[in-house]
Amino acid sequence: MLEYLTQALAGLKAHELASTWADVSGFLIAIFGFGATLVGVRKSKNAALAAQQAAQATRDSIRLLETIVDFSTAIAVLEDIKRAHRETGISSTLPERYATIRKQLIVLKASHVKLSDDQLAVIQNAVANLSTMEDHIEKALANKSVFPVTKFNFIISRDIDKLVDVLTALKTDQEVRNGAEQT
């Protein structure tokens, strides 16, 4: 073995690559050090990717939670509109309330939370219904006529039920994500 190392050093000297064992050992240390550096860089890169994925998952979770809160608020506002229909009938504040809830639903539809086509259709249908009802209320206010409270509350109740289904699906998704994050 010693003879093999002596021949190797002689070969390195002949090619002017090393003149002493110190040169050889320095070269080997540099090679192994470079390899260890590459391994460290790879581990750092993997850790950075994992941190980036965790940050994205947190952003998605927050976005989903905000969407859940917005859906809950929209449903509560629709319930308030139904109550206002029953208590006051037609009033000049109703068109504003309809416009506000329509805008909120449009924002929900455009949110960055992935909603299915059916869920998007539920939101779009509610927006269309609210727009039509707002138009009827505006006309009734202008003509000082009555409007069909029972029919409007039925339509709003149906839209609320469908929005509650979407809300329930979003909450289930949130619970599944929270369960996956804990494991």
Side-chain angles (χ1 to χ4, degrees), residues 76-104:
V77 169
L78 288 170
E79 291 287 353
D80 285 343
I81 289 173
K82 279 177 38 182
R83 199 172 304 109
H85 285 169
R86 282 188 217 107
E87 292 172 359
T88 62
I90 192 167
S91 74
S92 60
T93 61
L94 278 176
E96 287 178 34
R97 293 174 89 180
Y98 275 87
T100 300
I101 190 63
R102 251 190 21 260
K103 289 174 193 167
Q104 186 174 6

Side-chain angles (χ1 to χ4, degrees), residues 167-181:
L167 175 62
T168 302
L170 290 173
K171 284 182 177 180
T172 301
D173 188 33
Q174 179 70 16
E175 290 170 1
V176 167
R177 285 183 187 208
N178 287 343
E181 289 172 4

Side-chain angles (χ1 to χ4, degrees), residues 119-151:
Q119 292 169 330
L120 292 170
V122 165
I123 297 169
Q124 183 57 43
N125 189 43
V127 168
N129 288 340
L130 289 166
S131 181
T132 301
M133 288 186 283
E134 181 184 359
D135 186 51
H136 283 292
I137 290 171
E138 290 285 1
K139 288 176 183 174
L141 283 170
N143 298 333
K144 299 199 186 307
S145 62
V146 295
F147 75 106
V149 172
T150 307
K151 178 181 175 185

Side-chain angles (χ1 to χ4, degrees), residues 13-150:
K13 283 182 181 179
H15 290 86
E16 296 183 6
L17 295 174
S19 59
T20 66
W21 285 111
D23 291 341
V24 172
S25 63
F27 176 73
L28 292 175
I29 289 171
I31 295 295
F32 288 118
F34 183 69
T37 300
L38 290 178
V39 169
V41 167
R42 179 175 288 275
K43 286 182 181 179
S44 295
K45 179 182 176 186
N46 290 341
L49 287 174
Q52 183 180 20
Q53 290 170 344
Q56 183 62 43
T58 300
R59 280 191 296 273
D60 291 345
S61 182
I62 290 169
R63 199 173 292 127
L64 180 58
L65 184 60
E66 288 173 344
T67 302
I68 289 170
V69 169
D70 289 344
F71 263 101
S72 298
T73 302
I75 291 167
V77 169
L78 288 170
E79 291 287 353
D80 285 343
I81 289 173
K82 279 177 38 182
R83 199 172 304 109
H85 285 169
R86 282 188 217 107
E87 292 172 359
T88 62
I90 192 167
S91 74
S92 60
T93 61
L94 278 176
E96 287 178 34
R97 293 174 89 180
Y98 275 87
T100 300
I101 190 63
R102 251 190 21 260
K103 289 174 193 167
Q104 186 174 6
L105 289 173
I106 290 168
V107 168
L108 276 170
K109 189 176 144 199
S111 73
H112 295 287
V113 172
K114 292 181 181 174
L115 298 171
S116 71
D117 289 342
D118 290 341
Q119 292 169 330
L120 292 170
V122 165
I123 297 169
Q124 183 57 43
N125 189 43
V127 168
N129 288 340
L130 289 166
S131 181
T132 301
M133 288 186 283
E134 181 184 359
D135 186 51
H136 283 292
I137 290 171
E138 290 285 1
K139 288 176 183 174
L141 283 170
N143 298 333
K144 299 199 186 307
S145 62
V146 295
F147 75 106
V149 172
T150 307

